[in-house]
Amino acid sequence: MKQIAVPNRREWARRPSRWRSIQRYFFAGLAYLALVCAVLLPIGNFLSLDLKFEINYNEGWNVYNADRLIHGAIVYDDNYWRINNYPIGSFLIIAGANVLIHDLLLSGRLVALVSFAAIAVFAAMAVRRFGGGRTDAVFGAGCAAGFCYLMAPAWVIADDPQTLGEAVMLGALVSYIGRPPDRLKLLRTAFLVVLGGFIKHNLLAIPIAITLDLAFRWPRRVVFWLASCAGFATGFLGLTQIVAGGDFLDHLMSPRRFGWYGARYHLMKYLRLFKFPLTVMALSSSLVLAADRMILAGWGTISIIGAAIVSGFEGTSYNMFQDAAVFLGVAAGVIMSEVRKAEFRGRLARVLASALPFLVAQPILARAPDIAVQVYQTPALLDSDRRRQETFLADAKFVADKQGPAICESLLLCYMASQPFILDPFNSRQSMLSGRLDQGELIRRIAAREFAVIQLHADICDDPTTQSCHILHYRQKVDRFTDEVLYAIDQYYDVTRRSAFGSFYVPK
């Protein structure tokens, strides 16, 4: 008689544990791969850490203002040709680092490098406090750092306060989450929130999310929280008045033009870049956004909406979405945690669930071939950067040799040429357009040939279809001078030098 084979119950019992073991190793490998890729993504920025050329337009502006603070100048004075619409937090921190380094540009970039690393560390800590394990924390750290870089590469390891402010705000979130808030915890968190705001004042999502979370879960703590924030803000305002002087709020609220095209343009880049993580986030929201994680939903929603609005103002860019990108990184670690904990029935369900973290990390993993090429070509990249430095320093020497005041669209170039900070092209244009400054005053100085050299990023007359000088306008073009000012430069100045860093005009 033929015997029927009966499945071994122990074998059936071992299958889930075998799947768990495979899943554990798969997720660990994915987490560390994402972290390694995130570390290697900004290798180009890291190679230029100590090299003297402009990575980001803001670098020269930040160096000038930190230098003014160090030398005891009134940073928020009544000279609106060089408005400072940033708080003093980053300038103070960079000035402190410069005590040891004695190079303001390098000090700013090193602060940004440490801040970039801190974002990864705080993201890992946040994932742990949201209930994730070590693997989830590593994955969250890699995604947070990688997404932060991918959103705005030119703002990472550059002398700009965006990553520093983001790191401090993320530290405030880590300080708040975990255990129920007591007074000491709220005081510590309030200090970090206000400090982050006095580094970069557009980072409002985490403070608002914390306030809303307190209002819904611990309403009796809200008054103490708001009073703590107000107290620290008053203290920082007093410190600003003591060390920087002038009218800080007047500078901070200086006018900027707004356009919905810019808001839509930057939002669409964010949505296209992170379409897979956002889709997974939406599909797994019931798992990820549990009652004690609603602060994560608040942070993400506010950061995306706020960035979309703020990025519509002229002079803002993709860096407005770095907070929203870091949010996605932290959410990625929480998603992996929930997927690893969940019990899925059926092989297909388990495979599909295991693919979710892979889809979340897709923006980083898709760059793996480019990262490998960058690592392989590191010597060539370094040689190229050194040649750029030689060109930049030669341009700075050209400006310095003219023996007179200069205007530079690249402010770092004028700083390296030891020129005084007399005009901020972008902010002065905004003030001229709003009527706060009279562009006729600048045009008269140009007509009098008061400036020994004027450096622009490109030739003024950029329309090749006309014989007379004509300036082209298109939506992606960055304008830092009014047309009237540029036509005056073309009338009274000639181009005598061109390089990779722009065109140099001297009096006719």
Side-chain angles (χ1 to χ4, degrees), residues 84-281:
N84 183 344
N85 52 5
Y86 278 10
I88 62 164
S90 63
F91 305 129
L92 285 173
I93 292 170
I94 291 170
N98 194 61
V99 172
L100 299 175
I101 299 170
H102 306 295
D103 183 332
L104 277 172
L105 179 61
L106 179 58
S107 297
R109 289 177 177 176
L110 284 174
V111 168
L113 174 61
V114 173
S115 302
F116 183 65
I119 288 173
V121 172
F122 285 137
M125 293 173 67
V127 172
R128 291 285 280 175
R129 296 197 177 190
F130 279 128
R134 292 182 180 177
T135 298
D136 313 317
V138 171
F139 187 65
C143 287
F147 292 170
C148 181
Y149 172 81
L150 290 174
M151 191 65 235
W155 278 262
V156 174
I157 317 182
D159 186 5
D160 184 272
Q162 187 71 43
T163 50
L164 174 59
E166 183 64 40
V168 174
M169 283 297 185
L170 194 53
L173 179 70
V174 171
S175 170
Y176 174 76
I177 58 179
R179 294 174 298 175
D182 54 29
R183 288 177 178 254
L184 180 61
K185 184 177 186 177
L186 290 179
L187 274 173
R188 181 180 66 235
T189 305
F191 173 77
L192 290 173
V193 159
V194 175
L195 175 61
F198 270 81
I199 292 172
K200 197 70 192 298
H201 55 290
N202 68 304
L203 295 169
L204 299 176
I206 288 177
I208 295 174
I210 292 174
T211 304
L212 293 176
D213 189 70
L214 278 171
F216 281 107
R217 300 176 65 192
W218 294 283
R220 294 182 180 180
R221 297 290 189 187
V222 173
V223 174
F224 180 80
W225 161 253
L226 294 176
S228 300
C229 290
F232 284 122
T234 302
F236 275 103
L237 283 171
L239 179 63
T240 299
Q241 191 63 37
I242 292 170
V243 302
D247 194 340
F248 163 63
L249 294 178
D250 184 43
H251 279 247
L252 189 70
M253 303 304 293
S254 57
R256 287 196 185 198
R257 300 181 76 186
F258 179 84
W260 284 109
Y261 173 80
R264 179 184 176 277
Y265 180 81
H266 295 110
L267 175 61
M268 291 308 298
K269 179 190 174 177
Y270 175 80
L271 296 177
R272 285 192 298 266
L273 180 59
F274 299 119
K275 53 184 177 293
F276 289 115
L278 286 167
T279 301
V280 173
M281 183 73 190

